[in-house]
Each structure stands twice: as C-alpha cells, then as structure tokens.
Amino acid sequence: MKNSIIESIEKIGWPRIIIGLFLASMFVIAPFVGVSVGTSISDVLVRFTFNGVLVLSLLPMVKSGCGLNFGLQLGIISGLLGAVTSIEIGITGFLGFLIAIGVSIPFAILFGIIYGLLLNRVKGDEMVVATYVGFSVVSFMNMMWLLLPYKSPDMIWGYGGTGLRTTISVEKYWFHVLNDFLSFEIGGVYVPTGGFLFFALMCLIVWIFFKSKTGTAMTATGSNPVYASSSGVNVNKMRLVSVIISSIIAAIGILVYEQGFGFIQLYMAPLYMAFPAIAALLLGGASVGKATIANVIIGTFLFQGILTMTPSVINNIIKSDMSETIRIIVSNGMIVYALTRRKKARG
Amino acid sequence: MKKWIIKISFVAVIVVLGVLLFFFGRQHEIIIEYGDIKINETEYSIGEELYIVKIDSEKIEIQNKTSKFSRSTSTLKTSKIVGPNHSIEVYKNDSPGETIRKDNFSVEINNNAKINLVSFINGFDDWYSQKKIVYDE
Amino acid sequence: MSMSNSEKVKKFLINNTVPILFVVLLFFAIPLSGFSPEYLANEMITRLGRNSFLVLALLIPVMAGMGMNFGIVLGAMAGEIGLIFITDWGVVGINGVFLAMIISTPIAIILGFVAGLILNAAKGREMVTGFMLGFFMNGVYQLFVLYGMGNIIPINNPKILLPRGYGIRNAIDLVNIRQAFDSFIKLKIGDISIPVFSFIIIAILCIFIVWFRKTKLGQDMRAVGQDNDIAAASGIAVKRTRILSIVISTVLACYGQIIFLQNIGTMNTYNSHEQVGTFAVAAILIGGASVAKANISNVFIGVVLFHMTFIVSPRAGKELVGQAQIGEHFRVFVSYAVIAISLALYAWRRQAAKNREIKAVLDEQNEAIENRGGSQ
C-alpha cells in the first residue's frame, strides 16, 4: 500500500505534486484574503489560451530528439514579422489575423531550415547553441526593427522618429479575435471559447501529424536514432522537419499570444520568452527527451495558474509583490531540475 | 590531524584578519561643535577668526558666520574618519606654524565622535565625547 | 613533423579565426568612430583592470573539461552580498574591499559547491545547466536580498534599505570604496592613469593559474578534462575534481565582481550580475579560446578586442547609418553571436571528428570482413 503510493507519486513526479498542491492551496486561501475565485479562474483560463500554443510548439523538437527548444525566439521572430506586416497591410479582424499567420509561415520555414541545419551539426550541444542563437537573432532583429521600411503610423515612432515602436497595440486590428469568439460567462467565470477551440485545433493537428508516417518516424528518431537510421529513416531530415514545424507553431503561438495580450512587443521583449514556455512543458511532466500533448496541457495550466494566483494571493497576505521572484525560481528551477534528470532516466 | 590544524588555523587567521579590517576600516562620523560655551561664569568663543582643524591629514576650516545676512545659526561641522585612532591639531589660519593645541583621541567601534572646539582650544579636558551610531529614519 | 610555412600560416588562421575577424572589424570601426588614441588607451587600461579578473575565473573549469562556466554569475552574486554588508557597516576604502572579499568567500564556496553538484548531475550539459542555474539562483538571490535583508538578516543603514524597511534598494552607491583598489597605488603616464594595484592582483592571479596547472590537483583536472573514464581508472576522484574546479571558479568570480564594482562605483543590486557570464564568455571566446582550450593570453586579447568593439560600435554605428542606437544593438548582437558561433563551431568540429572516427572503425571492420572473405 505504502509502496504503491510512493510509486504513483514518483510516476506523477514530485515537482508536479508540489506545484499542484501549492496551486490548490492558493485557490483555497484566495477567498479568505479577499481574492475572487471566479476572476482568478477566468484569468487562468484566459492566460492558458494565450500561452498554450507556444508551449505546444516545443513538442515536435523534443519528440525528434532535438531537446528543449531554447531557440524558440526564431519562431517568435517569424510571428512578429507576420504581425507587423499584417498591420502594415491594415486589414482588421479575423482576416488580418489569418494574414499575419500566412505571412509568418514562410519566414518560419526559412528560419527553421537554417536553424535545423545548424542543430543537425551540433548534436549533443543543441540546447546551449540554441540559447545563444536565439539571443543573437533577437538582438539582430533589434537593428532590423529600426531599419525595416514599415510605414504604418500605428507602428512607427512619432514625429521624426524612425523604426518601429517597442510595443504596438493591436486594438484596432485583431485584438481578442480568437478569445471573444463564442465566449460566454458562467457563474462569474469568463470562458474564452474561441481561444480554447483554436488551441484544441492546433493540438489535434499535431496529434494527427504524429500518427502519420512522418510523425511516427520522427518519434522513432527521438527515442532511438541508431535504430531509426538502421530501419531506413533519414534521421537528419526528420530532425530538420521537426525544427521547421516547431518554428511554424511558435510563430502562430506568438500571434495567439498577441491577439489575447493586445500588444506586439518588439526589441528585447522576446529575449527570454523561451524559458517560461519550456518551464511550463517540464512542469507538465515532460523531460528533455520525452513529451506528450497531455504534458503541454497540464503544464500550461499549472504554470499559468501559479503565475496568476501567486501575485494576487501572496500580495494580499504579505503586502508585497513576490510574484516575480517566485516566477523566476519556479520556472528556472524546473528547467535546472529537468536538465539534471536526463542522464539518470537513461540509466 | 596536522592537515586539519593547518586548515583551522588558516581559517582562524582569515577571521581575525576580517575582524581587524572591520575595526580599522569602519567609518565614523566626527562632529565638530564650535558654539559659544559657558564654564564657571566665563564665556568662551572662537571669535571671528578662521581656525583650521586638522584631523589626521584632513584640514577643516571653521569660522563663525560673520555676515549679518546669514540666517544659518549652525555651529556644527561634520566630517568622516576611518578607524579607531586619530590625531587632532588646531591652528589659526594666519599663523600655520603656531599650533594652539595638539592631541590624540580614539573612537570605539560602534560610536561616532564629537569634538567641542572652544573647549579644546581653551585647554579644558572635556572637549571630547562619543555617541553610539544610530541611523535616523 | 616539420610543417611548411604556408601550412603554418593556414593553421594559425584556422585556429584564430575569431580574433582575426575582430581585428579586421576594429581596423575599420576605430577610424570611423573618430576617438583619439589617448582616449582609447585610457579606456582600454581601465577596462583591462576592471574585467580581466572575472574573465580569468573561466579558465579553470575549461581545464577540467566543463566548458565555459556560465555559473560565474553565482560568484558575482556572492561578491555583491559582501559589498552590501560592508556598505551597511560603513567599512570603507581598501579595508572595505578586502573585508567584502572575506565575507563573500564562504558564500561563494557554498554556491560553487552546490553548482558543482548540480553540474555533475547534468554531465554533458554543463554549459546550458550552468546558464540556467544562473537564472535560477538570481531568483534565490532576489528572495534573500529583497525580502530577507532587513527582515531576517539585520541591515540598518537607511541609505541602502528600501523605504518599506526591508529589502535592499535597486542601486547602491559604493562611494566609500570607489576605486579603492585602483587608486591604492597611483601612477599616471601622460593623460593615462593606471590602476597599478588592480594589475598587481591580476598578475598574482595569473601566476596562481600557471602554478596551479602544475600542482597535483591541476594535473588531475587536466586528466579529467581529457577523458573522464581514463582519469577515473587511474584513481582520480572525478566528481570531486570537477566540483573543486567550479568552487575555485566561483570564488574567483566573486573577487572579480568585487574588483569590477569598486571600479564602477555603483551597484545595481538586481542587475549587476546578470550579464557577467555572457560578457566574460564572449570576451574569452573573442580572444581565441574554445570550449576545450583556453589560456591566459586568450583572456587579455579577448578583453581588449571585446571592449574595443564595445566602445567604438555606437559611434561607428552613428557615422555609418546615422543612428547610435544601431551601434548599441550591434554590440549586444556581437556578444551573443560570437558565443553562438564559437559554441556551434566547436560542437560541429567535435561531431565531425566523431563521425570520422566512427567511419574509420566501420571501414576497418569492412576491410577485415572483406579480407576474411578473400582468404576463404
């Protein structure tokens, strides 16, 4: 009996249990310190729909054995290019959002190919190389945002300035196009149906993809590259495809984030965006070499839950904002933990 | 065993060094008071002359406000000193060679120093006092 | 074994691609920026005194085969904690700097030890783990400094405490120890002032590193760096040696950060350490080091080239495209890109070597099979 409890705990994983209990206790304490549970749940749901797709984008690369995508910024940059181009064209509403996706996909494919070819040459060191490739691309784009010939007055610096602003509002264009679709309120809880539907659609596409022939070959590549290659799978090609898919989903992911958040953030904003997404995936039970869609969903929910609940609840208890510190410790601690686990898991 | 003794004594030396650095490196505030004082019915003052108070090697100029337009009535000057042992020397500005009085004083680790200049130049003994360091909010 | 001259030149060029590229870059950027030689020399000397110690802290983990120690951020945090204490106590001048070093040494040792344990658990992923560890410990540092200090740990000086009564302010004025090291022994040649004492300390560290390579521990580290298994087989405690290399590096980084901050004179309590790892690693890589090989000359060449790029690029950017901002973004880009490229090149070369090895083994086997087939 005792053993089976320990076993099941180990199966779920200590970090998840600790974070899960922490989150549950937050919800229990919330009403007592004057935080509305309804609002909190709505916040968690809304944030879930912002971030879910970004977390999902990590999945293909983990599955193909490329590890955690510390270079998520490449996909994000493609998405940002799509977003600013769409605003430059000036079409509003859902169509504008689709145009943003449409523009960003070719960029994502292009960046994905270059990035994937590079990662194929640095096997075993993908993560550290990817981190700095991501940083380099973000800082390179800092120059580009200043130099690219965008003209829309909603995006460039006012009088006399050149280049794009650091934050660009999408309010006039495609603010909440997904989240407000079929959304409803029930018992004080706002449910962003459209956001969930879109996330579900993305998950479904990924799920179907991994049931396809290419998808299974990709999974085989990740779990045992030597075996995969001896059974006729082109390992490098599979890895390359996974990187491209990851980049495309990341590009879509950042657009989903922006339509919910309301702003396009340029310049240094995307620099550290890979870490929270990775932490969420790991929190959901994934490891450096293994991840499922369930991990994505659970992880995003737990992570966003913590991010939403800690500021409101803790602030009310100790009257100071510790949320940023807790966020840093939880998300980066999770990543460090996962990095140290890898070798042991393989024996 | 011998290795451990060496290690422990090394750590001890470092700790002692740290304590010494603390004692000899701590900064104290020194307040020089030069307002008029009254001892045994006699008034003492520094008048209107410019005095130079030399603490260690730092020279501080002290003079009563002569201008009648000056609204400041402060008769305090503050400076900083480092470590426990210090010397003080006072002379008038126009005669740098002729020292009025020279003495030494020491300040305890948690204290600030206070010097009453009028008392000092008139040869009294109670020119020096110490006060615990407090941080005003 | 004698090489022809052209081969030697070729090898030199291949081994020093990165520094040569930077020399070429600077060759165009310096005249463009229009800075006077005196100004540049002055800046270079200041920056050598300020940054070299931190970069030197990277050398020992490379020796032990652990790559670039991005975890020197931890040492920097330890150093900052020491500086907070001496500022609170009002210990000033060179005494203050030394006392800060003494206080932060045990903290750095503990942090280094923990980092070593974690990096041992993450063998093969040391760099990315060290990097993430820096981020993680930044959170712990915040918890300690922003919530613990003035609460649990007594801090009294209202100049460094937040108005709410606990937690340290964002910026601390280190006026009491500003350039205490640099001006301890003063020397001025023309318009160029030289921080002699800082250079003496850096020289002592260089001598220490040269000496350390020859000690038993240093030899062990090199053996571990060459091959873990062979080292273990010859009776070296591999894990312990690796931990020690990280401890030494963390303690050195802690001193390095103190020297850095006493020169700068103000400390951003929550940001000063953030970029320490990236900038130090970028500098040593620009100096021609690789993940597996780094020496003292790489450090100094790297600091000069990296900081020269840092100084001239905003002005050069302004002259070139009319926006100083471009140059500023450019120098950030350079520091990230040089790390990305160097790490990628190293991993690439290693993978290529591994593939060649596998191919050679396979060829040998095939040959053996063919020979057997032929003899039958």
Side-chain angles (χ1 to χ4, degrees), chain C residues 222-287:
Chain C
R222 282 157 81 178
V224 170
Q226 295 279 321
D227 193 307
N228 275 325
D229 298 327
I230 294 174
S234 60
I236 296 169
V238 174
K239 285 195 167 174
R240 180 175 168 273
T241 312
R242 285 164 54 98
I243 290 176
L244 279 176
S245 82
I246 296 294
V247 170
I248 296 173
S249 168
T250 311
V251 172
L252 290 179
C254 153
Y255 299 157
Q257 181 77 351
I258 292 175
I259 293 175
F260 177 83
L261 287 174
Q262 62 84 31
N263 177 275
I264 298 271
T266 46
M267 171 171 134
N268 293 317
T269 317
Y270 304 101
N271 304 108
S272 279
H273 50 263
E274 251 179 8
Q275 295 286 37
V276 162
T278 294
F279 286 164
V281 170
I284 201 171
L285 290 174
I286 289 173

Side-chain angles (χ1 to χ4, degrees), chain C residues 176-242:
Chain C
N176 289 334
I177 58 157
R178 176 173 292 146
Q179 301 185 355
F181 259 26
D182 301 340
S183 56
F184 186 59
I185 302 173
K186 279 180 200 161
L187 186 65
K188 222 166 168 178
I189 300 175
D191 285 336
I192 301 164
S193 54
I194 299 168
V196 179
F197 192 66
S198 302
F199 280 128
I200 291 175
I201 299 235
I202 290 163
I204 291 172
L205 178 61
C206 291
I207 294 166
F208 167 78
I209 288 171
V210 171
W211 166 81
F212 182 80
R213 276 176 205 271
K214 290 177 185 141
T215 60
K216 168 83 172 54
L217 186 60
Q219 297 284 0
D220 285 1
M221 267 177 205
R222 282 157 81 178
V224 170
Q226 295 279 321
D227 193 307
N228 275 325
D229 298 327
I230 294 174
S234 60
I236 296 169
V238 174
K239 285 195 167 174
R240 180 175 168 273
T241 312
R242 285 164 54 98

Side-chain angles (χ1 to χ4, degrees), chain C residues 114-135:
Chain C
V114 172
L117 284 177
I118 289 173
L119 294 187
N120 269 344
K123 212 178 225 178
R125 302 232 169 288
E126 285 94 349
M127 282 193 278
V128 67
T129 311
F131 178 81
M132 290 315 301
L133 194 61
F135 276 85

